[in-house]
């Protein structure tokens, strides 16, 4: 019941011999809707080729269009336990769209009015319908080519290690810079028992007014 909604077309061929199922083919998905509290976005698409051998699904050339950018990589799923693993690289994601996807009343990040072009290199794992979700990697932000009125350009680099089960993110040697501010982060950010070293230098507090 918690699987993402969407439409998918697929074609392929398969063989079942000696109790071993093997499949291969291609798929294309569209109108993908992720309705989750901590990530809500619509209109995503994805495609790739797939093969199934020894109770394991592999998509070696996965590609998804989302949040104005492109994500490519390799997806695997073990049938026993429905264990997923994604090794991916994302490029050209709009930070404003990403912040809107994670924004909620307990995390009102759209009020920062930041925008950038976001790249992410990561390894992400989960079981079943995003249970035990975990992701680690590096994200880099560069100022976008075009800014809308009221948007603030951002440059950043962050090393992250997130665990849903722990309810925490480790941030290492991370930095977020705007034209009038610099934020340095290092440590553990969590709902409880955070241990995060923060250094914030601000030249104009008015740009933080909505967030504050």
């Amino acid at each position: 019941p918690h699987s993402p909604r969407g439409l998918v077309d697929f074609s392929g061929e398969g063989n079942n011999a000696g109790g071993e199922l093997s499949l291969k083919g291609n798929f294309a998905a569209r109108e993908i809707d992720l309705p989750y509290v901590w990530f809500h976005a619509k209109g995503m698409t994805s495609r790739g080729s797939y093969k199934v051998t020894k109770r394991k699904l592999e998509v070696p050339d996965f590609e998804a269009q989302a949040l104005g950018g492109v994500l490519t990589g390799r997806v695997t799923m073990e049938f026993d336990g429905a264990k997923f693993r994604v090794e991916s690289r994302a490029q050209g994601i709009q930070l404003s769209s990403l912040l809107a996807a994670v924004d909620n009343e307990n995390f009102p990040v759209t009020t920062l009015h930041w925008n950038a072009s976001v790249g992410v290199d990561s390894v992400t794992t989960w079981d079943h319908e995003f249970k035990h979700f975990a992701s680690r990697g590096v994200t880099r932000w560069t100022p976008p080519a075009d800014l809308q009125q009221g948007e603030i350009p951002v440059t950043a680099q962050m090393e992250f290690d997130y665990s849903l089960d722990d309810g925490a993110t480790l941030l290492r040697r991370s930095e977020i810079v705007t034209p009038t501010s610099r934020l340095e982060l290092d440590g553990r950010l969590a709902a409880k028992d955070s241990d995060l070293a923060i250094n914030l230098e601000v030249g104009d507090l008015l740009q933080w007014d909505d967030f504050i």
Side-chain angles (χ1 to χ4, degrees):
H2 303 297
S3 295
R5 293 185 289 271
L7 302 173
V8 61
D9 300 317
F10 64 92
S11 61
E13 58 185 30
N15 183 55
N16 189 359
E20 287 290 333
L21 176 67
S22 62
L23 301 167
K24 63 179 180 179
N26 298 278
F27 78 93
R30 64 190 187 280
E31 301 177 29
I32 301 170
D33 178 9
L34 302 181
Y36 309 110
V37 172
W38 289 104
F39 197 94
H40 35 87
K42 297 181 179 181
M44 299 181 179
T45 66
S46 67
R47 64 181 183 181
S49 62
Y50 66 87
K51 61 180 180 180
V52 174
T53 56
K54 298 180 179 179
R55 296 188 58 76
K56 184 176 182 179
L57 167 71
E58 180 179 1
V59 183
D61 53 356
F62 180 82
E63 179 180 312
Q65 306 274 344
L67 306 176
V70 179
L71 182 145
T72 58
R74 178 175 179 267
V75 178
T76 59
M77 183 198 72
E78 297 179 14
F79 288 3
D80 294 333
K83 297 181 180 297
F84 290 83
R85 177 183 174 90
V86 181
E87 303 167 17
S88 64
R89 165 167 289 185
Q91 295 176 301
I93 292 174
Q94 295 177 357
L95 179 61
S96 58
S97 298
L98 179 60
L99 293 180
V102 300
D103 185 79
N104 63 58
E105 61 180 10
N106 295 314
F107 195 55
V109 287
T110 57
T111 56
L112 292 167
H113 306 300
W114 289 350
N115 204 359
S117 177
V118 176
V120 185
D121 293 313
S122 63
V123 176
T124 304
T125 58
W126 70 89
D127 299 349
H128 297 280
E129 301 160 327
F130 298 106
K131 296 177 181 178
H132 311 302
F133 185 91
S135 184
R136 67 181 187 275
V138 178
T139 180
R140 298 176 179 87
W141 306 352
T142 57
D146 298 308
L147 282 173
Q148 301 298 317
Q149 185 175 0
E151 289 184 335
I152 299 170
V154 185
T155 302
Q157 176 164 319
M158 288 178 281
E159 295 184 26
F160 62 90
D161 189 344
Y162 170 75
S163 169
L164 177 64
D165 290 350
D166 293 340
T169 302
L170 295 177
L171 297 170
R172 299 301 186 197
R173 299 178 292 278
S174 299
E175 180 181 72
I176 302 173
V177 179
T178 77
T180 62
S181 65
R182 178 184 298 272
L183 176 63
E184 297 174 341
L185 304 164
D186 191 274
R188 183 178 186 269
L189 176 63
K192 297 180 180 180
D193 301 323
S194 289
D195 183 13
L196 185 66
I198 301 173
N199 181 46
L200 175 62
E201 301 173 10
V202 179
D204 182 5
L205 274 175
L206 286 176
Q207 293 191 352
W208 293 75
D209 189 50
D210 286 349
F211 181 75
I212 293 170

